[in-house]
Every structure is written in structure tokens, then in C-alpha cells.
Amino acid sequence: TGVQTCALPIWAFTKHSHKFQESDRMKIKKQLLSGNRLYQIGYNVTLFGTAAILLWIGIFKFTPTEAAAIRPLIEYHPFSFWAYDMFGQQSVSNFVGIVEISLAVVLLLSIKYHSLSLYAGVGIVCTFLVTLSFLFFAPGVWRIRDGVPIADFFIVKDLAYLGFGLMLLGRSMSNDKEKHDAEMTSSY
């Protein structure tokens, strides 16, 4: 089945067992802290964290507070300046929320359905390229504090999400689906 099992008996996991050997303890540490295992844990934390943040922020887009907060970002962007001429403030915000929530759902579904990771990757890359572009088009994003230029950090953090989107694209373009599935099952 591709699932790795631990060959140690259950008593080996208790500290008080007189049969528990140092070599058994080292085997456990090696299995739990292997490079592949740590990579998979980090990947999963990033995937679930990204999905949670997209869901949370997407839901918040349906509030008047967030609709007002994103208006200057969208209004001054060269690709979306027209949106408020055609739709109301809340409608524009709701659309952005729907996109973010949909992206989170596709990202979560890509865990089970590998083919969706391509769409999740493209969506994440596009979404965070757009949000990062606000650094260049939105007024008041950059300021000087104590002689250091700073930007709104809620936008700068999207660099990490952009990187994750690129990771998803790379994984989804892997032709070896069986290898991907084996990696996923062997990590649990």
C-alpha cells in the first residue's frame, strides 16, 4: 500500500519500559525527524495554513469593513480600476471573497485529487502576484520610518504564499503521479 510502518513494538514508546533501548529511541527520532518527513510536515502546515487564511480573509470580504479597506487597493490598480464603475463596493469585495474561498476549497481538495493542485497552484500564483502588485500601484503603501522604507506588511507576506503557489505548480507538473501518491501516503 505504500504506507510505512514502524517495526517497533508498542512497549518501545513508553519511557518506563525496561526493554526500551537507546537504539530504539534513535530509530524513532530518525523516522520522525527525517528530511522527507520534515519536508512533508512543513508542506502540510503551509498548505493548511494557506487554505485557512484564504478562507478567513475570503469570508471577511463579505463585511462592509473589509469592502471599504480593499477599495483603495482595487481602485488604483491598472487592471481593476474599472470595477467600481460597474459594481458597488460590496459587490466587488464579495467577488474577491468568492475567489479566495473557492481557491481555498480547491487547495484542500487537491490533497485528495492531485490533478487539482495545478489549478490551486495557478490560482495562488495569480492571486498573490496581484496582491503583491498593490505594492506598486496603491497609494500610501510605502512609508519611511526611522529612515527605512517600509511597506504594508500584510501585503509583503504574500511573497511566501507566492512561493508556495510555485511549489504547488512544480509538484502538479510532476509526471510521476504514483510517486507523488506514495510520498503522500508514506508521510502518515
Side-chain angles (χ1 to χ4, degrees):
T1 62
V3 177
Q4 289 180 344
T5 59
C6 183
L8 300 174
I10 193 69
W11 54 261
F13 293 96
T14 63
K15 283 186 174 183
H16 304 293
S17 173
H18 63 284
K19 296 179 182 179
F20 190 68
Q21 301 293 320
E22 188 62 31
S23 63
D24 292 333
R25 189 172 299 165
M26 295 309 287
K27 286 179 189 176
I28 293 169
K29 284 182 182 177
K30 187 175 180 180
Q31 286 177 349
L32 293 177
L33 300 177
S34 71
N36 289 339
R37 176 69 60 142
L38 288 175
Y39 172 83
Q40 193 60 48
I41 290 169
Y43 179 84
N44 288 337
V45 167
T46 306
L47 186 145
F48 286 108
T50 302
I53 289 169
L54 284 167
L55 280 170
W56 189 13
I57 292 171
I59 291 167
F60 194 49
K61 293 291 189 287
F62 289 88
T63 67
T65 302
E66 182 67 359
I70 67 169
R71 185 176 184 127
L73 300 174
I74 294 173
E75 197 168 44
Y76 290 99
H77 198 279
F79 300 130
S80 59
F81 66 90
W82 54 268
Y84 292 107
D85 294 337
M86 297 183 69
F87 306 102
Q89 178 173 288
Q90 190 62 58
S91 295
V92 171
S93 187
N94 290 353
F95 176 75
V96 173
I98 290 168
V99 169
E100 291 171 339
I101 292 168
S102 299
L103 187 52
V105 169
V106 170
L107 180 58
L108 291 172
L109 288 173
S110 75
I111 297 166
K112 176 96 172 131
Y113 305 103
H114 178 65
S115 61
L116 292 178
S117 63
L118 174 67
Y119 301 106
V122 168
I124 287 174
V125 167
C126 290
T127 296
F128 293 112
L129 279 175
V130 169
T131 59
L132 286 166
S133 72
F134 293 145
L135 289 170
F136 305 102
F137 298 112
V141 172
W142 290 95
R143 297 173 298 290
I144 303 289
R145 294 286 189 264
D146 298 322
V148 178
I150 62 167
D152 284 341
F153 293 112
F154 79 94
I155 294 175
V156 175
K157 61 136 175 56
D158 291 350
L159 280 169
Y161 295 122
L162 176 61
F164 178 61
L166 293 170
M167 285 175 60
L168 276 174
L169 281 176
R171 284 176 65 121
S172 71
M173 291 178 181
S174 163
N175 292 339
D176 196 354
K177 185 183 178 320
E178 289 177 6
K179 179 182 175 190
H180 169 76
D181 291 343
E183 287 174 1
M184 293 300 289
T185 57
S186 68
S187 66
Y188 294 106

